[in-house]
Amino acid sequence: MIYLLLIYEFFKIGLFSFGGGYATIPFLYHISEVYHWYTLNDLTNMVAIASITPGPVGINAATFAGLKTAGILGSALATTSEMLPSFILVIIVSKILKKFSENFFVKSAIETLKPISCALLLFVSAGLLKSHIADIKALILLAVLILISWKSKKDPLFYLVIAGVTGVILKLAGI
Amino acid sequence: MSLFRLFLIFVKIGAILLGGGYVILPIMQSEFAEKRELVSKDELVNYFALAQSLPGIVAANMTMFIGYKLKGKTGALAAMFGVIFVPFWCIVLLASVLNIFVNNTYVTGALWGVGVAVLALILLTVREMWQRSERNLFFYFIFLVSFTALMIFKLTPIQTILIFSVLGVLIKFLQKKKEVNK
């Protein structure tokens, strides 16, 4: 039964997430609230590891979430279910390539999905921030990272490495 | 090119895909345009734009577009399983040893830091999307109503997307009709 639910939930993510790897986090967050397959803390670790291992973050997070939920079969199911909508859509779109991107309804839908994606991601940020809010160090590190990004655009890996190293140093210094 | 060869190329792409799916475009340009001349650079850029405009994981869409273009449906499947091959086993292995290390000072410190960086990256994604969109009244309206729906009315992500994308398309449709009537 849990396998069917996994397929259903991750198929939905593949079909409805829009705007890059982190756009799947709102859905993973929702799953943790509804099914309690993993905790919010697990989710943070999952996304952290998904970000530093090779591969698309959204897919890696699905692999990890599936693994947490139902072992290796769960992770295989979650990963493939999340990619299945892409497979179907890509084949359809490849066949009608030109017409598709010029269609009025498709264009309007894409225009609408942009502000909705922004809202979804901010919603998740608020949720994650809540779990960090008592942690002054985290807030300072976050502010510093944002400030760096303001000065110059860096590779995502840059932030992950800098923050990870900072975390280790702070731990070792006992702060 | 054989199906297995295609699979192997995508295994390699998956293995060097670090720092999120966005780097897939330069990697594919090197693999398919520069090294092999199978797909032109311009074509790859077009596919990338299309991959971004479809739902789902951008890198997965991109992978399947190229797999399908080169070898049809089985090509798309071979590309898909190729690109997730290394990432999949990385996660499975790391996750199974994570519990052993979860109390290790280095690991907890690093995970804490990376967790904060992820939050920063999510906020940067929002900023990026925000800047790349045409911010008109329509944009702000849809943003505000969907944000309110999520925060205050506790709608799920799917409900929010379904309700407000239908609303958005409807608004666009009425706007267009009004323009035509003028």
Side-chain angles (χ1 to χ4, degrees):
Chain A
M1 199 46 217
I2 199 161
Y3 296 118
L4 287 179
L5 272 176
L6 259 180
I7 293 173
Y8 172 67
E9 285 299 332
F10 283 89
F11 186 83
K12 273 203 304 195
I13 298 181
L15 192 57
F16 289 110
S17 71
F18 188 86
Y22 292 112
T24 64
I25 301 170
F27 299 94
L28 296 171
Y29 182 76
H30 175 69
I31 288 175
S32 82
E33 281 189 327
V34 175
Y35 298 104
H36 306 290
W37 286 336
Y38 43 83
T39 64
L40 193 61
N41 189 40
D42 288 334
L43 179 67
T44 314
N45 284 348
M46 263 156 42
V47 179
I49 286 179
S51 307
I52 49 174
T53 49
V57 181
I59 302 284
N60 291 349
T63 308
F64 207 142
L67 193 72
K68 267 270 173 208
T69 308
I72 191 140
L73 180 58
S75 64
L77 286 175
T79 311
T80 37
S81 315
E82 189 174 277
M83 291 180 96
L84 193 59
S86 294
F87 178 70
I88 299 165
L89 284 170
V90 161
I91 286 172
I92 296 171
V93 171
S94 288
K95 286 189 173 151
I96 49 164
L97 202 57
K98 280 241 160 66
K99 275 186 229 151
F100 177 80
S101 42
E102 283 155 20
N103 179 284
F104 169 76
F105 288 99
V106 174
K107 271 202 294 199
S108 316
I110 290 168
E111 277 308 301
T112 315
L113 279 169
K114 284 180 189 167
I116 298 179
S117 295
C118 286
L120 278 171
L121 285 171
L122 273 184
F123 166 70
V124 173
S125 314
L128 290 176
L129 198 62
K130 234 191 280 172
S131 68
H132 278 305
I133 202 83
D135 187 353
I136 300 290
K137 285 176 295 172
L139 294 180
I140 294 172
L141 180 58
L142 180 66
V144 170
L145 292 175
I146 301 269
L147 251 147
I148 293 174
S149 80
W150 225 273
K151 290 278 172 208
S152 65
K153 242 186 107 160
K154 296 274 197 300
D155 197 89
L157 209 57
F158 169 83
Y159 301 102
L160 297 165
V161 171
I162 290 284
V165 171
T166 310
V168 175
I169 293 171
L170 287 178
K171 268 276 175 197
L172 287 177
I175 301 173
Chain B
M1 184 172 45
S2 73
L3 208 56
F4 187 63
R5 184 100 199 99
L6 183 76
F7 172 78
L8 285 182
I9 295 175
F10 276 98
V11 169
K12 184 185 167 193
I13 292 175
I16 55 176
L17 200 61
L18 277 161
Y22 285 108
V23 292
I24 200 165
L25 182 62
I27 294 177
M28 280 193 160
Q29 286 187 326
S30 134
E31 289 295 321
F32 291 107
E34 284 160 18
K35 284 187 199 161
R36 290 188 184 80
E37 292 185 16
L38 286 167
V39 191
S40 78
K41 278 195 173 183
D42 282 344
E43 243 178 315
L44 283 167
V45 170
N46 289 344
Y47 275 118
F48 192 65
L50 209 57
Q52 282 184 301
S53 70
L54 285 182
I57 312 295
V58 178
N61 292 344
M62 187 66 184
T63 296
M64 279 185 265
F65 267 126
I66 304 306
Y68 184 76
K69 185 189 160 61
L70 294 174
K71 280 272 171 198
K73 280 181 198 139
T74 42
L77 284 177
M80 165 177 146
F81 287 114
V83 89
I84 58 172
F85 191 77
V86 173
F88 183 86
W89 292 110
C90 268
I91 293 281
V92 170
L93 287 177
L94 255 178
S96 51
V97 295
L98 186 67
N99 284 334
I100 308 168
F101 293 113
V102 90
N103 291 319
N104 177 292
T105 317
Y106 295 98
V107 176
T108 42
L111 278 179
W112 172 87
V114 171
V116 176
V118 165
L119 183 52
L121 285 172
I122 299 175
L123 291 172
L124 294 183
T125 308
V126 177
R127 195 177 76 189
E128 176 96 16
M129 249 195 282
W130 192 270
Q131 283 168 344
R132 281 196 186 181
S133 313
E134 200 188 316
R135 276 155 292 148
N136 43 26
L137 194 62
F138 175 80
F139 181 91
Y140 289 118
F141 172 72
I142 296 289
F143 170 75
L144 275 179
V145 286
S146 40
F147 192 63
T148 316
L150 285 162
M151 292 298 278
I152 297 169
F153 299 103
K154 307 280 176 212
L155 256 60
T156 67
I158 306 273
Q159 286 168 338
T160 311
I161 290 174
L162 285 179
I163 294 172
F164 296 109
S165 58
V166 171
L167 179 73
V169 172
L170 201 67
I171 293 174
K172 286 264 175 195
F173 183 66
L174 292 176
Q175 272 179 345
K176 193 189 172 195
K177 235 179 140 184
K178 220 169 141 189
E179 272 168 35
V180 171
N181 285 342
K182 269 181 193 168

